Amino acid sequence: MFTEGQLYSPVSADADGSVQVHLGENHPGFKDEAYRARRNEIAAAAVSWSPGQPIPQIAYTDQENEVWRIVSRELAPKHERHAHSEYLAAKAALKLPTDRVPQLDEVSALIEPLTGWSYIAAPGLVELRQFYGALGRRVFHSTQYLRHPSEPLYTPEPDIIHEVIGHGNQLASPRFARLTEAAGQASMRLESEEGMQFLADVFWFSMEFGVMWEDGDLKAYGAGILSSYGEMDEYAQMEIRPLDLPQMGSINYDITAYQPVLFAAQNLDELEEVVGVFFDTCTDDSIAALRGVGTPA
Ligand code: TIH
Ligand code: FE2
């Protein structure tokens, strides 16, 4: 469960159709009027979109494309050094543009032939059940805005760089795609809020912030590490624990800072055997047992 901060800035839509994104005081764009107006504009496109319509096209500005270029350029050598080979192979197969922000339907057209996933637009936070339910159908809800240009190396708030460079490259791997889909399908079996939260937390410490041993080195495969060139420099120095479902599903964490505790799989087979089998088989009852709150005998 996360105890500090909120992942996405809240979005509100008025009856007159105006959409507002409420950036917190600590957001680097809080005092930047032009950035705020742009966030409102991009959120409005997603708010007025509905399934079946063409994905909103965003005319990215030179400054936004520049942020994408800077982050792509900084991430490239760090991926080579620190990303797990499964992610690197998927990234090489996907071939995202590095010089400009892609449209979400372009991202879908690249991923679909590889693993069948597609991207749809989200204004910001998507309710847990809706987000995971879509994962179960191989659909990824993605924001379309970019992080503030003053802090390209890390943002606590997921942006299109995180969703596409982090998750998109990951979802281009059949094995990571399968794990993600299994998490989505698990959500449809769970009725309790506690079960749903536990699932989301196991997902956080695997597909978002997972690390894995490979040839004696600790590599990253989590999308949240792989979209931040700041966090890529730090993760290997954090406290590294072996995979442990009860811990992964219940420790408290702060989403606004580099993750100080990470869970490492021995290899991809172990990730599938522990986290994959959990996603494939979990029920409200099995999660209650993992949480140590099983029905008394
Ligand atoms: N911290 C990530 C980044 O800077 O790209 C974004 C996030 C991933 C998961 C939570 S926040
Ligand atoms: Fe994410």
Side-chain angles (χ1 to χ4, degrees):
M1 189 70 163
F2 63 85
T3 50
E4 287 300 322
Q6 56 193 3
L7 260 185
Y8 293 90
S9 303
V11 175
S12 62
D14 288 347
D16 68 359
S18 76
V19 171
Q20 257 207 315
V21 180
H22 302 272
L23 303 184
E25 277 175 49
N26 296 326
H27 194 289
F30 182 67
K31 293 203 173 111
D32 181 341
E33 281 307 325
Y35 182 80
R36 295 173 70 117
R38 182 64 172 153
R39 289 289 301 265
N40 293 343
E41 186 181 13
I42 291 177
V47 167
S48 59
W49 177 78
S50 50
Q53 295 178 337
I55 297 291
Q57 301 288 305
I58 307 292
Y60 289 106
T61 63
D62 290 346
Q63 193 190 38
E64 288 167 333
N65 284 320
E66 179 66 10
V67 173
W68 182 275
R69 263 195 299 278
I70 290 170
V71 175
S72 295
R73 191 185 62 217
E74 294 289 329
L75 284 174
K78 298 192 180 189
H79 283 169
E80 288 303 320
R81 265 192 72 154
H82 299 299
H84 189 271
S85 61
E86 181 74 13
Y87 176 91
L88 288 177
K91 180 181 174 181
L94 189 61
K95 297 190 194 71
L96 289 169
T98 55
D99 58 335
R100 62 179 176 83
V101 189
Q103 301 296 327
L104 295 184
D105 55 9
E106 285 183 79
V107 175
S108 296
L110 292 171
I111 303 188
E112 247 162 351
L114 298 172
T115 56
W117 280 73
S118 59
Y119 269 53
I120 60 173
L125 181 67
V126 176
E127 197 266 317
L128 219 51
R129 285 191 182 276
Q130 192 187 346
F131 180 80
Y132 279 91
L135 295 185
R137 300 186 304 275
R138 289 189 269 172
V139 170
F140 196 91
H141 282 90
S142 174
T143 54
Q144 294 179 288
Y145 58 83
L146 285 109
R147 59 194 62 191
H148 194 263
S150 67
E151 288 182 29
L153 88 171
Y154 171 87
T155 167
E157 182 182 40
D159 66 344
I160 190 168
I161 292 179
H162 167 69
E163 326 267 30
V164 172
I165 298 182
H167 290 286
N169 284 323
Q170 192 188 51
L171 290 170
S173 145
R175 294 178 78 175
F176 290 139
R178 178 70 199 59
L179 284 162
T180 309
E181 182 182 350
Q185 289 174 347
S187 76
M188 302 186 223
R189 292 192 301 272
L190 301 177
E191 283 168 19
S192 72
E193 288 321 299
E194 292 81 2
M196 218 22 248
Q197 193 57 55
F198 190 98
L199 172 69
D201 289 346
V202 172
F203 188 89
W204 178 267
F205 285 109
S206 54
M207 305 322 289
E208 288 287 0
F209 286 94
V211 294
M212 191 161 18
W213 293 101
E214 187 171 37
D215 300 329
D217 292 322
L218 189 66
K219 302 287 181 148
Y221 70 91
I225 299 177
L226 293 166
S227 62
S228 164
Y229 61 90
E231 190 146 2
M232 291 256 283
D233 282 336
E234 305 283 336
Y235 76 88
Q237 277 71 254
M238 300 304 185
E239 183 188 337
I240 307 299
R241 301 187 188 173
L243 290 183
D244 181 317
L245 293 170
Q247 283 186 35
M248 292 163 81
S250 58
I251 71 171
N252 289 328
Y253 53 94
D254 175 355
I255 58 162
T256 64
Y258 295 165
Q259 295 301 299
V261 175
L262 298 171
F263 293 88
Q266 290 303 322
N267 49 47
L268 201 39
D269 287 341
E270 195 209 20
L271 182 68
E272 289 168 338
E273 278 154 25
V274 176
V275 174
V277 168
F278 168 75
F279 289 154
D280 282 337
T281 61
C282 66
T283 60
D284 284 307
D285 286 348
S286 75
I287 290 177
L290 289 169
R291 294 172 64 233
V293 294
T295 33

